[in-house]
Amino acid sequence: MIQAITVMAGYTENGMLLVALALRFAMQLRLEDTVEQLMVKLSTRSAPISEEENYLYRLARVWHGVCNLELFFSLDGGKMPATVLRTTSRRIRALVNHPSRTSPDIRLLSQLELNILRSNAYVNIARHSQDLDESSLRSTVRDTAIELSLWLEEWSTIICSDTAAPDRPRAMTNLHIQYEWALITLYLKALSIFGDLLMTDFQREMVRSAKEAAVRHLQHLLETPTTPSSPNSLSPSQPPSPTYLSTFKWAIDFVWAKCAFSVLLVLKLSLLLRDPLPSIILLLRDAHQVLEELHKITVGHIAYFQILQTSVEKCEGALKEHMARLEQASGVEGVEIGGRGDAEDDFQEYAPSEFVFEWDFPGLNLRHVPLGWQDLFVDLDSVL
């Protein structure tokens, strides 16, 4: 029953309520204690694995599945954490080496460890909200980025060594997407504690780092994971390999929401930072490709598909307006373009209700307000 409720939580607007219910049942059954029992057996086992240990492993899988989804809602949905996981990276790796472990378990355990890293980072960042010491905050962000990089490297090794995995290339792509998402939210979370940003070197670095991670995130979404093979094994009549986005047909709401938000974010940040027009055009082309791929498999996620479509259309309008203003100004000497046009204002103010009421993704309301002698970035989330 707990597993059924957890699965339902991933595909419904009432996900927070359902995952809270699943967690409550899991705690009533004391599933967390079964994890401790399993760890004791792992550390003291001297004989072949017993049926009891296999049973404990299955219960631990259920507990970690519920906790992982609860962490998603806490980190990205604005939900207050309902429990504190009593685990470490060392314990998680011990489960990876368990004979009962399956390939899906690797994805679950890697996500669990990543979300624990993100949760700890958010707690550390929140501690800087009182003194706003950029030097100390920079150290926190840098240390977390290093931890995330080590996470990617170590779990990449684990996945590559899992020879029994049916789809290692897709698992690797998924790992990179999770890594870039963690970086995006890390940098934007660090910015969110400042409120009005006068664009110090640190703050500008965070904005640019978030945009660069979002660009890489977009590129990974468009990958076509393939297993290396010899040229002789390739057949002209062989159908093309499915793209990574083709798996979204069965993805939970969070994955669709994250995809739509990340595309909207990278387009917004590229305009905010006044990236070169060719660069923005390439990003817009990639966003169109994401839209086309998802159009093939959109089932039950119409809202997020429409958000993605609207984001692309509004960005196109803003870009066309900006290019028209550039062309107009180029014909008049001494005229400079200042401020933004109506279309760009419309795009920058676009905040889908799903990202306001259902999810708590950072950076959506970041605004650029030119003040002549300085640039001001305003996070409207902190002033409204």
Side-chain angles (χ1 to χ4, degrees):
M1 182 178 68
I2 294 175
Q3 288 174 299
I5 295 174
T6 304
V7 171
M8 289 174 59
Y11 294 91
T12 176
E13 295 179 356
N14 299 320
M16 289 190 186
L17 295 176
L18 289 176
V19 77
L21 182 63
L23 185 62
R24 178 183 177 184
F25 288 152
M27 295 176 74
Q28 288 177 345
L29 293 176
R30 306 187 69 84
L31 290 188
E32 187 175 15
D33 292 342
T34 65
V35 177
E36 293 300 316
Q37 295 172 30
L38 175 61
M39 289 300 166
V40 170
K41 286 188 173 294
L42 287 176
S43 62
T44 59
R45 185 205 313 145
S46 58
I49 298 175
S50 64
E51 188 59 36
E52 180 188 4
E53 183 175 332
N54 284 328
Y55 177 67
L56 289 174
Y57 185 89
R58 292 193 294 271
L59 292 179
R61 178 188 292 142
V62 174
W63 170 252
H64 288 142
V66 175
C67 290
N68 189 51
L69 192 58
E70 201 275 337
L71 277 170
F72 275 130
F73 282 118
S74 299
L75 294 168
D76 298 304
K79 175 182 176 295
M80 292 298 294
T83 186
V84 177
L85 272 176
R86 295 180 300 174
T87 191
T88 63
S89 295
R90 190 182 299 274
R91 289 185 170 209
I92 291 174
R93 305 300 171 82
L95 294 176
V96 170
N97 295 324
H98 196 275
S100 297
R101 186 265 299 160
T102 64
S103 295
D105 286 338
I106 291 183
R107 292 187 62 175
L108 169 61
L109 294 172
S110 64
Q111 287 179 352
L112 184 66
E113 184 177 321
L114 177 64
N115 282 334
I116 291 173
L117 288 174
R118 293 179 62 204
S119 180
N120 293 337
Y122 283 14
V123 171
N124 292 332
I125 288 173
R127 291 173 181 160
H128 295 285
S129 59
Q130 300 298 324
D131 54 19
L132 298 180
D133 181 4
E134 286 192 356
S135 176
S136 178
L137 182 57
R138 183 192 295 271
S139 297
T140 297
V141 173
R142 183 186 63 243
D143 292 345
T144 303
I146 291 174
E147 289 293 326
L148 293 174
S149 178
L150 292 174
W151 172 88
L152 176 64
E153 179 181 351
E154 292 167 1
W155 281 97
S156 295
T157 301
I158 292 172
I159 290 176
C160 289
S161 62
D162 184 23
T163 56
D167 198 355
R168 280 185 291 173
R170 196 172 301 277
M172 285 297 299
T173 298
N174 181 265
L175 203 68
H176 282 276
I177 288 174
Q178 291 183 66
Y179 168 70
E180 300 299 348
W181 175 256
L183 287 179
I184 293 170
T185 53
L186 169 67
Y187 297 134
L188 294 178
K189 203 72 175 180
L191 278 175
S192 67
I193 70 171
F194 288 98
D196 293 353
L197 307 182
L198 294 175
M199 291 313 289
T200 63
D201 290 342
F202 168 75
Q203 294 163 359
R204 188 178 296 276
E205 177 188 347
M206 292 298 98
V207 175
R208 291 197 176 279
S209 296
K211 193 217 73 174
E212 291 167 1
V215 170
R216 295 192 298 269
H217 187 277
L218 177 58
Q219 292 170 346
H220 286 307
L221 285 175
L222 292 171
E223 287 182 1
T224 301
T226 55
T227 303
S229 56
S230 62
N232 296 331
S233 64
L234 298 178
S235 171
S237 60
Q238 185 176 354
S241 300
T243 62
Y244 177 80
L245 289 172
S246 65
T247 62
F248 274 45
K249 184 175 183 179
W250 316 112
I252 63 176
D253 277 8
F254 169 71
V255 174
W256 277 84
K258 187 175 69 170
C259 175
F261 173 81
S262 65
V263 173
L264 173 58
L265 179 72
V266 73
L267 295 176
K268 279 194 172 189
L269 292 183
S270 63
L271 284 176
L272 281 173
L273 293 170
R274 289 296 184 258
D275 283 355
L277 286 179
S279 174
I280 300 176
I281 291 173
L282 287 176
L283 288 176
L284 196 55
R285 182 202 63 185
D286 289 344
H288 262 292
Q289 189 175 346
V290 171
L291 195 62
E292 292 171 4
E293 290 292 334
L294 292 181
H295 184 264
K296 302 174 184 177
I297 49 93
T298 301
V299 178
H301 299 280
I302 302 300
Y304 294 116
F305 180 81
Q306 289 177 339
I307 289 173
L308 183 59
Q309 187 173 34
T310 302
S311 300
V312 171
E313 291 173 353
K314 287 182 178 292
C315 183
E316 279 184 335
L319 190 59
K320 289 178 181 177
E321 178 187 66
H322 183 66
M323 294 174 69
R325 297 174 71 200
L326 281 176
E327 184 177 353
Q328 183 180 8
S330 64
V332 182
E333 294 185 4
V335 175
E336 295 183 0
I337 295 181
R340 300 193 306 251
D342 293 338
E344 184 173 352
D345 282 336
D346 181 51
F347 175 53
Q348 295 294 358
E349 292 169 3
Y350 178 51
S353 60
E354 287 82 356
F355 298 155
V356 176
F357 300 108
E358 296 180 22
W359 302 101
D360 187 31
F361 300 139
L364 180 64
N365 288 323
L366 202 63
R367 298 287 187 269
H368 173 263
V369 183
L371 297 179
W373 59 274
Q374 65 181 7
D375 285 336
L376 175 67
F377 274 72
V378 181
D379 187 345
L380 294 188
D381 282 334
S382 64
V383 297
L384 291 181

